[in-house]
Amino acid sequence: MVRIYVFATVLFMTGCAALTNSPMVINQLKIRSAGFTGCAVDANAITNVTGNADGSGTWNATCQNKVYLCSQGSSNAPSYSCAVAVN
């Protein structure tokens, strides 16, 4: 768990597009999203990854033709959530 927290903090603090689209980052976001989408980890497609200097960020997880907007709180309060995006 600590490894994921540190990894996520680095991810969202950098805000670097190359880093946010790396296979390791995408895999971690798939893992985080799976609990909210109800889909297996590999069934989630991750897009629109953004990060902020405070450690917070957002991404979209798509599964079974549903798009979820997911977010992470700042590095001081690392909570995660996803909800179905309204089309």
Side-chain angles (χ1 to χ4, degrees):
M1 183 64 176
V2 172
R3 189 175 112 209
I4 291 172
Y5 172 71
V6 170
F7 183 72
T9 301
V10 170
L11 158 69
F12 288 118
M13 286 181 71
T14 63
C16 176
L19 180 61
T20 59
N21 291 315
S22 76
M24 283 181 27
V25 170
I26 297 300
N27 189 55
Q28 290 299 316
L29 296 178
K30 284 181 176 185
I31 291 168
R32 265 191 212 119
S33 303
F36 295 97
T37 64
C39 295
V41 171
D42 289 334
N44 289 292
I46 304 299
T47 57
N48 303 322
V49 180
T50 60
N52 302 308
D54 67 354
S56 64
T58 61
W59 66 95
N60 290 115
T62 303
C63 176
Q64 297 179 352
N65 296 319
K66 290 184 184 176
V67 178
Y68 296 81
L69 174 60
C70 301
S71 63
Q72 171 182 315
S74 70
S75 56
N76 292 331
S79 60
Y80 313 101
S81 65
C82 295
V84 175
V86 177
N87 292 332

